[in-house]
Amino acid sequence: EDRKKEMRLGFVDRDTELLSFRGAIEAGLIYADQYRMKKIDYTGLLIDVAAYAEAMRESTEKAKVILTEISATLKTLMNPEWAIARIGLCCFLCFCRRDHAGDVEEKIDRVSGMLPTLWRKLGIQADPVLAHAIVYGSEVTSLDEMFMLLIRRISSTEKVAHGESPYVGDYIDL
């Protein structure tokens, strides 16, 4: 009953049963408030698999398998304290207390590492690249600022994946 209510209110993504964008905002605000009031640092993680759009154009059935596999892998790898939300085609926004987050890069490497095998298994020729960005609450003054920095960093990561060397504002990638 609670799950149906959450879906009806738009807090849960119907395709993945992860949080929706609305659910992510709610979770992010809770973490941001805890940081402001108690200085409990938190991690914001933005993940995007751009090749999903091409897979979706090729076959909605294959795209559904991809989304299901990636969602299940994220649920398995992230401890229960992570708030995981699907906020786009194959884009995920996640939050967790920094001291409970674990090795985020290792988790991302495992998700990224399963993508080529999944694509081959489904017979999709595209090169599935997972782009991600990490921002800590202690780097920013608000959740809005965290979103902006996550977007700048993931944009930079995606440009690097395509051979560009962008200047982002908080670092130069050479």
Side-chain angles (χ1 to χ4, degrees):
E1 185 64 34
D2 285 343
R3 202 64 165 168
K4 285 181 183 178
K5 184 177 180 182
E6 289 171 344
M7 282 188 166
R8 194 176 68 251
L9 293 173
F11 288 108
V12 176
D13 176 70
R14 293 183 188 279
D15 296 328
T16 63
E17 294 193 6
L18 297 171
L19 293 173
S20 65
F21 184 75
R22 186 175 181 179
I25 297 297
E26 176 114 357
L29 287 169
I30 290 168
Y31 283 110
D33 287 347
Q34 286 179 346
Y35 181 72
R36 278 196 300 270
M37 293 170 31
K38 300 177 184 174
K39 293 299 180 199
I40 299 172
D41 205 0
Y42 65 107
T43 302
L45 170 64
L46 184 60
I47 301 168
D48 186 35
V49 181
Y52 177 80
E54 188 176 326
M56 193 170 190
R57 283 190 297 272
E58 187 177 310
S59 165
T60 55
E61 292 80 26
K62 290 178 182 180
K64 187 173 182 173
V65 170
I66 291 168
L67 187 59
T68 300
E69 289 289 324
I70 292 172
S71 299
T73 302
L74 286 170
K75 286 179 198 175
T76 300
L77 291 176
M78 305 300 209
N79 67 44
E81 292 200 29
W82 278 93
I84 308 168
R86 176 180 179 222
I87 62 167
L89 286 177
C90 199
C91 188
F92 303 89
L93 178 60
C94 313
F95 296 102
C96 188
R97 274 181 50 163
R98 188 173 183 174
D99 60 346
H100 295 169
D103 186 345
V104 179
E105 291 294 342
E106 187 269 331
K107 294 173 192 309
I108 292 299
D109 287 346
R110 289 186 55 194
V111 176
S112 183
M114 56 90 65
L115 296 181
T117 304
L118 180 58
W119 255 248
R120 279 193 303 277
K121 181 176 92 174
L122 294 171
I124 301 171
Q125 300 303 315
D127 183 24
V129 175
L130 181 148
H132 76 283
I134 300 169
V135 174
Y136 300 106
S138 55
E139 294 182 82
V140 295
T141 59
S142 68
L143 187 61
D144 289 341
E145 194 175 314
M146 177 176 271
F147 289 152
M148 289 186 290
L149 190 51
L150 281 166
I151 291 166
R152 281 198 313 261
R153 286 184 179 169
I154 202 164
S155 175
S156 173
T157 301
E158 289 170 340
K159 287 177 182 177
V160 169
H162 291 95
E164 299 176 38
S165 293
Y167 170 71
V168 178
D170 61 337
Y171 72 94
I172 299 174
D173 191 9
L174 301 173

